[in-house]
Amino acid sequence: MKSVLTTGLCLILSIPAASVWGYAVKEVARGGTVQGTVTLSGPVPDPKAYNLVIFPDPEYCGRISNGNGWRLLRDFLVNERGQVLNVVVLLEGITEGKPFSLSVPRVEARDCRFLPFTTVVRSGHGVEVVNMDPVMHDIQAYETSTATGTRVLFNSPLPFNHRHRRDDLHATHDHRPGSSLVRQFQLSKKRRTFVMQCGFHAYMQSWAIAVDNPYYVLTDENGRFVIEDVPPGTYDLRAWHPGIKQVVKQHVTIEPGVNLTIDFQLPSPGRRKTALTVRTPPRFTPAALGREFTIEPLLERQ
């Protein structure tokens, strides 16, 4: 599957009234709480591997690598107990409640990674992308679904950050932000997955699910989530990770002032059989570029 992913960046020139979005701010009396843990059922998928030589800026981007010239993309972050970090847990079907402040989430291009790897967006609003690197990136944003494939939302260059030096890769970077890129987008009906990929560095990816109310949270390093001040009612509680194709949700009833515990087990996609694996010896080496250089994991050895 072509890694056509990317997330780009939305500027909000004006925000429609709450009624247009189907959500209204209202005081919540005796709201409930839902909490729990998300674990992975099955083996942790192997990371995707990218030979840095075939992408631009192999020396700078190779500051995060495996020591043999490969960048690894670990899209599943799972601890020793199988608990999963950065799963989006959200309640669906809530039309009124606490203020909904999410408008333009920020994604940083830092050390040739998009951070965060998973986040949330709002259709009709936007995303901001900031280049923290002394290299140029290319923002390609898509909406995608397993049923109907991908659709390009926008494609914009993210200019070189001139506030950093390129001549010394060993220098400590304080990652002062460059100019931000902001784009607005509208997802197609029933599509909720938003993905961004760098057109120059395919291992730079960021994924998001579109939300229509403020009752969502990302799991912590122990796979824990807590959603508070929930209006009493019956809703769908969903756990979303971009590497899981199935919709994972449970029907829940929130009682006034009650703390409800719900745990999720995400079905593992299993060990990957893909071309994106470390190959020894690699097909291409620095000699293919006509010069000799060393890719050193100065920042992180994966």
Side-chain angles (χ1 to χ4, degrees):
M1 176 180 177
K2 190 182 294 183
S3 61
V4 292
L5 321 169
T6 327
T7 213
L9 337 221
C10 305
L11 178 73
I12 296 201
L13 302 179
S14 61
I15 299 179
S19 60
V20 174
W21 297 102
Y23 182 83
V25 175
K26 183 179 180 180
E27 182 179 355
V28 178
R30 298 195 65 212
T33 297
V34 59
Q35 63 181 23
T37 303
V38 179
T39 58
L40 187 69
S41 176
V44 180
D46 297 326
K48 298 175 183 176
Y50 299 82
N51 184 353
L52 288 160
V53 171
I54 68 176
F55 300 99
D57 315 296
E59 293 165 283
Y60 179 79
C61 295
R63 294 163 70 244
I64 299 176
S65 58
N66 72 343
N68 295 306
W70 295 80
R71 168 65 74 90
L72 306 181
L73 175 60
R74 302 184 188 279
D75 45 0
F76 282 85
L77 300 178
V78 183
N79 66 19
E80 65 280 1
R81 297 181 299 280
Q83 297 157 344
V84 193
L85 173 68
N86 289 338
V87 175
V88 181
V89 180
L90 61 153
L91 282 161
E92 300 177 327
I94 299 181
T95 58
E96 58 183 26
K98 64 184 180 181
F100 191 7
S101 60
L102 171 71
S103 181
V104 181
R106 174 185 169 112
V107 176
E108 291 185 354
R110 177 189 289 261
D111 300 312
C112 298
R113 292 183 292 191
F114 283 134
L115 299 174
F117 177 73
T118 54
T119 186
V120 297
V121 295
R122 293 182 71 179
S123 179
H125 290 233
V127 178
E128 176 187 17
V129 180
V130 180
N131 193 0
M132 312 291 281
D133 290 334
V135 299
M136 187 172 182
H137 297 299
D138 178 55
I139 308 304
Q140 299 176 353
Y142 304 84
E143 62 176 14
T144 183
S145 76
T146 54
T148 55
T150 60
R151 181 177 75 90
V152 177
L153 295 171
F154 54 85
N155 187 348
S156 301
L158 192 62
F160 174 92
N161 185 340
H162 293 281
R163 302 183 69 184
H164 296 297
R165 294 172 53 191
R166 274 186 63 105
D167 57 342
D168 185 3
L169 296 180
H170 294 264
T172 299
H173 288 269
D174 56 4
H175 289 295
R176 290 173 294 173
S179 300
S180 65
L181 175 67
V182 185
R183 292 290 183 272
Q184 188 174 8
F185 62 87
Q186 184 74 46
L187 298 177
S188 300
K189 186 177 181 181
K190 295 185 178 180
R191 286 193 173 190
R192 299 182 62 187
T193 303
F194 177 74
V195 57
M196 172 176 78
Q197 184 177 40
C198 177
F200 299 149
H201 312 100
Y203 42 85
M204 294 179 62
Q205 300 176 14
S206 182
W207 293 78
I209 184 171
V211 296
D212 54 15
N213 68 64
Y215 293 95
Y216 62 86
V217 70
L218 273 71
T219 56
D220 64 16
E221 64 275 8
N222 295 313
R224 294 281 300 165
F225 67 90
V226 180
I227 304 176
E228 300 176 311
D229 200 25
V230 181
T234 299
Y235 314 106
D236 284 329
L237 181 68
R238 180 176 178 183
W240 178 85
H241 185 284
I244 304 296
K245 301 308 179 186
Q246 301 97 313
V247 175
V248 180
K249 64 172 62 176
Q250 297 188 42
H251 210 50
V252 299
T253 297
I254 305 298
E255 302 288 349
V258 173
N259 192 330
L260 177 66
T261 297
I262 299 290
D263 294 326
F264 284 100
Q265 283 200 334
L266 298 182
S268 170
R271 300 295 186 187
R272 288 195 178 99
K273 301 298 182 183
T274 172
L276 297 175
T277 57
V278 174
R279 181 173 174 174
T280 306
R283 183 177 179 184
F284 298 102
T285 66
L289 300 181
R291 60 188 179 92
E292 293 296 331
F293 61 91
T294 301
I295 298 175
E296 299 182 73
L298 302 172
L299 183 63
E300 177 186 332
R301 181 180 292 270
Q302 296 180 301

